[in-house]
Amino acid sequence: MAGETIGAGNRPEFEPVENLSYEEARSELVNVVRVLELGQMGLDESLAYWERGEALAKRCEEHLNGARNKIEAVLGTSEDDSSLQA
């Protein structure tokens, strides 16, 4: 979370979620939750972190859905191949 200063009344600067891998998004989401739980910032900063957390959760979900679709495609292909051999 580059450029952030917690409690200084600044809105933090975040890297676009589209650039994050699943692991990076999940790790940052954990950190955002920790920061929010501290409750040591103003309303604007809290909202920025909340919005970031929502975006990170959505990004993680996109990664997981993509992985699920790939697995289902492979399993579907494997099942079709094995039924042809029978």
Side-chain angles (χ1 to χ4, degrees), residues 15-65:
E15 181 176 351
V17 293
E18 298 81 22
N19 298 343
L20 301 176
S21 68
Y22 171 78
E23 290 79 9
E24 292 168 330
R26 184 180 47 88
S27 177
E28 188 178 335
L29 180 56
V30 168
N31 289 331
V32 165
V33 169
R34 285 184 186 145
V35 168
L36 286 170
E37 286 176 341
L38 291 174
Q40 298 178 351
M41 63 189 102
L43 180 60
D44 286 342
E45 265 187 300
S46 294
L47 287 174
Y49 275 90
W50 180 269
E51 291 168 354
R52 180 63 173 185
E54 290 287 330
L56 290 166
K58 182 178 178 184
R59 182 65 177 154
C60 287
E61 190 173 321
E62 290 169 354
H63 277 294
L64 292 173
N65 286 337

